[in-house]
Amino acid sequence: MDLRNNIVSWDKVSEFADRIRTDKRIVFTNGCFDLVHRGHLTYLSQARELGDFLWVGINADLSVKRLKGEQRPVVSEEDRAVLLSNLRFVDAVTIFPQDTPLDLIRLVKPTIHVKGGDYTAEDLPETPLVREFGGEVRILPFVPGKSTSLLIQKILKL
């Protein structure tokens, strides 16, 4: 059984997105997804309900280190991609090396770009790009008390 069958490599993104976009509304989101928890699952399932196809961009390990610090990620990029790609509501996963998903969004051209409630559309560098090609940006509610940082703090206290 191939656990990597929904992982789309960088060089195949444009071609794959063009095929999907012909008859499906692509919802795109991105993040580190270092330690997947209930907040992530709630957010991803809600994102999937907004369209026909949920594409998740995952920050590569080096990007996570730059964004979160030298001790992160806890889980490797490949393991994070395999885990997310096997969730029933995630249709495709791509690992991206940049700190923002702008280059990946340019290729995917989603109908809807989704972020969690700890952001506002106005603060996202992705918003102008998504709107430029007719997409919309949606902010989903943050799940209180559910975050990777809180989970790591709890583990360290054990």
Side-chain angles (χ1 to χ4, degrees):
M1 179 167 155
D2 182 11
L3 293 177
R4 296 180 46 88
N5 60 351
N6 292 345
I7 299 173
V8 181
S9 62
W10 188 261
D11 61 325
K12 303 283 187 209
V13 168
S14 188
E15 173 191 334
F16 188 69
D18 287 347
R19 273 191 322 211
I20 298 303
R21 206 178 314 102
T22 62
D23 63 345
K24 295 188 184 324
R25 289 170 39 97
I26 298 175
V27 177
F28 177 86
T29 192
N30 67 283
C32 298
F33 299 99
D34 193 6
L35 294 175
V36 177
H37 52 75
R38 184 178 182 167
H40 288 133
L41 297 179
T42 300
Y43 166 76
L44 291 169
S45 67
Q46 289 173 350
R48 178 60 170 81
E49 291 173 7
L50 298 174
D52 307 306
F53 191 93
L54 178 59
W55 198 315
V56 180
I58 297 178
N59 291 77
D61 289 349
L62 290 174
S63 172
V64 176
K65 280 190 185 317
R66 287 190 299 269
L67 295 169
K68 304 288 186 177
E70 279 301 312
Q71 299 304 312
R72 303 276 299 275
V74 175
V75 178
S76 74
E77 63 191 44
E78 182 170 345
D79 287 352
R80 290 181 283 129
V82 167
L83 189 139
L84 289 178
S85 72
N86 281 278
L87 295 175
R88 73 172 186 258
F89 36 77
V90 173
D91 298 295
V93 172
T94 299
I95 299 167
F96 64 95
Q98 303 84 3
D99 293 348
T100 69
L102 291 171
D103 291 341
L104 184 52
I105 289 172
R106 276 187 193 93
L107 298 173
V108 173
K109 294 182 183 74
T111 306
I112 301 172
H113 176 55
V114 177
K115 289 299 280 185
D118 45 345
Y119 295 93
T120 64
E122 294 73 32
D123 293 335
L124 292 174
E126 303 95 293
T127 297
L129 175 62
V130 171
R131 290 179 177 160
E132 182 180 304
F133 55 75
E136 66 178 288
V137 175
R138 295 263 190 99
I139 305 298
L140 294 179
F142 184 74
V143 180
K146 304 294 180 190
S147 75
T148 300
S149 298
L150 289 174
L151 189 56
I152 289 172
Q153 288 173 7
K154 186 175 183 178
I155 291 168
L156 290 176
K157 288 181 183 177
L158 295 178

